[in-house]
Structures are given as structure tokens and as C-alpha cells.
Amino acid sequence: MSNEEALKHYDSKKYRTPDGYTSDIAVFTILSKKREHKPPEVAIHLMLIRRSMKNAEGEPNIEAGRWALPGGFVQADETAFEAAARELAEETGVKDIHLKHYGTYDQPGRDPRGWIISNAHYAIVNESYLAERKAADDADDVQLFGLEELEQLPLAFDHHRLIQDAIKEIKRDLLQTTAAKNFLPEEFTYSELQALLLTITDDPAIKSSQAFARKIKSLPFIEEAKGKTTVRTSKKPAQLYRFIEMDIIKPIYTARY
């Protein structure tokens, strides 16, 4: 039987279809506060929008006044990934960042408008990518929040779940890839790398300063910057290191080499 013949017997009314198909985006950055002769204070932050009282068409907005991940409905001529990039630009002005898909959310009741399926994406970027952020479209504000602040915010839809899942993804990225290099100087001290990793783990192999100082010398993807030291993280000159481009085996900081 040909497809044409089979389609004569297909009745789409027999099947429930979603009421909407959306994309949401969790964009994280790492903010650091320099301290003289000490490792910087480092904290992960998430960019959220506040949903405006009225949408772009001037109608009452769903979940108005609540904080949410940037996002919106996928159009008929684009993929969910393309919609994620478009919605991020429209609502926050943030463009040209590398997005990764991490989950699909289709739980009935997750959205008061009906059965809305969302594709969730995330990114970890340097703060410089977010410097020109500006709320627009369905958003009336856009801010960076530390992870500890998220529990106190009135979040829209099921975005608490989406955010918690995204946090797991970025923790995996920082511990199992060399993503940390995007948030460090090209040449860094062991304590600067340690401070960054401690924002997402309390692993003893990383938490112990003495152990990590020894560990960094055995990591094949990090090398000493020969003859180079700095006093920006300690009163005594500290050795500088840099990342080497190479294929690595996960997990990279706690594995034995």
C-alpha cells in the first residue's frame, strides 16, 4: 500500500496533539570579585526575564510578573533550536552564543494554557556576552541571579524544574570538560581554577588546597607557564598555568592519571 493510499485511512482527530510547542533557554555566567593577594570570590549566576503584564500583542500575559527563562513558541518554519536563538535575542538582546539542548518537558499541567511541550537549552558564557542584555518583547526586565537567590523568586510555569536540570548540566560541563577556561585568564593560578570549580562541587580532591595544588601538576590538559608567576592570588609569587587543547577522558579533575 502506498503512502497516498494509507493517508486516506489516517484520521488525525483520533490523536491528541499539543496545544503549543516552545523553546526555553537557561543562560549561565560566572561572576568573580577580585581580592588583593587572595583567590577571587566566584559565583554562578543565571539570566532570567520578568514576564511583562502584557504580551507583544498588547494582551494580558500568562504568568505576568513572574521570573522565567527566556523563551517562546516555535514557529512553523523553524526548529526548536532555531526558535531558542531567536527568542533569546528578542527577549534579552543576547545573540551568537553556543546553545545546547538538554531536555524536553511535556508533563500535562505544566502550563495553564494547555498541553505545552518545551525544548530546553542551556549555555555557559563569559559575562561579556551578557553585558548588553536588555529586556524586550514579552519581558519587562532581565537580571542575573545567584543560584542561592532562585529559591526566593516567584518562578513561572515549571521553570524551577528546568533550572535545576540545567544546573546539573553545567556542573557536568565544568567538571568533565575544559569549559573552565572560558572564565579564567589565559594564564591562571591553581587557586583561581580551584575557586571556580568549588562553585559547583565539594569533592575532596578539589576542596583540599594542598591536594589540588599537587593534582594540577598531573593533569595532562594543563601545563605550567614556564618562568611565569603572579601575586594576584597570594602574597608570595604563585605559579601560572594554562590549558592545552587535547582530547580528554572524563571526569577530568578527579580521575587518576
Side-chain angles (χ1 to χ4, degrees):
M1 183 181 294
S2 67
N3 282 345
E4 185 177 292
E5 188 66 24
L7 285 172
K8 293 179 180 179
H9 300 274
Y10 173 74
D11 182 4
S12 62
K13 294 180 181 178
K14 292 181 179 180
Y15 308 100
R16 171 75 192 281
T17 57
D19 299 308
Y21 186 48
T22 66
S23 281
D24 291 303
I25 314 98
V27 179
F28 295 90
T29 192
I30 295 177
L31 305 184
S32 61
K33 181 179 179 181
K34 294 182 179 180
R35 301 184 296 174
E36 188 175 6
H37 303 310
K38 293 182 179 180
E41 292 181 351
V42 182
I44 297 176
H45 285 66
L46 172 65
M47 184 174 69
L48 295 177
I49 63 162
R50 186 173 62 194
R51 294 177 64 82
S52 58
M53 301 309 293
K54 292 187 177 181
N55 61 24
E57 290 73 37
E59 300 170 343
N61 205 9
I62 196 74
E63 300 280 55
R66 291 182 174 271
W67 292 93
L69 298 173
F73 286 93
V74 180
Q75 297 176 356
D77 60 349
E78 63 184 354
T79 66
F81 189 86
E82 292 168 339
R86 175 182 55 77
E87 287 287 348
L88 184 62
E90 289 177 357
E91 293 189 340
T92 70
V94 175
K95 302 176 182 178
D96 303 322
I97 64 175
H98 180 60
L99 298 175
K100 298 180 182 179
H101 181 270
Y102 71 90
T104 301
Y105 296 82
D106 58 1
Q107 181 70 27
R110 62 175 299 271
D111 189 309
R113 293 169 293 190
W115 184 24
I116 307 292
I117 297 177
S118 179
N119 280 274
H121 306 76
Y122 78 103
I124 315 175
V125 299
N126 190 286
E127 185 189 5
S128 61
Y129 284 91
L130 309 181
E132 303 300 321
R133 63 186 182 275
K134 183 179 180 181
D137 199 40
D138 286 347
D140 66 12
D141 197 4
V142 55
Q143 297 288 343
L144 297 177
F145 294 96
L147 301 189
E148 70 283 351
E149 299 176 273
L150 298 177
E151 295 294 333
Q152 311 303 321
L153 292 177
L155 295 175
F157 310 113
D158 59 348
H159 285 195
H160 175 77
R161 179 186 173 195
L162 272 67
I163 290 168
Q164 292 306 309
D165 288 350
I167 290 172
K168 293 177 183 176
E169 294 294 327
I170 67 162
K171 287 182 176 180
R172 188 178 298 115
D173 267 4
L174 286 173
L175 288 176
Q176 298 185 351
T177 76
T178 56
K181 66 184 178 183
N182 298 317
F183 307 101
L184 293 168
E186 184 177 351
E187 296 177 345
F188 53 89
T189 67
Y190 86 87
S191 59
E192 288 174 318
L193 175 57
Q194 180 190 36
L196 174 59
L197 297 176
L198 287 177
T199 63
I200 49 88
T201 184
D202 59 359
D203 190 292
I206 296 173
K207 195 171 184 179
S208 168
S209 293
Q210 290 184 339
F212 193 69
R214 292 192 300 269
K215 183 69 175 178
I216 196 172
K217 296 178 181 179
S218 69
L219 298 173
F221 53 89
I222 290 177
E223 67 178 3
E224 287 188 2
K226 297 295 184 181
K228 294 187 177 181
T229 60
T230 182
V231 293
R232 65 174 178 252
T233 59
S234 63
K235 291 184 179 180
K236 294 181 179 180
Q239 176 65 50
L240 286 169
Y241 298 87
R242 54 178 166 248
F243 281 98
I244 303 170
E245 291 296 332
M246 64 177 295
D247 292 330
I248 53 179
I249 301 172
K250 305 175 183 179
I252 63 176
Y253 293 103
T254 56
R256 296 179 182 276
Y257 289 99

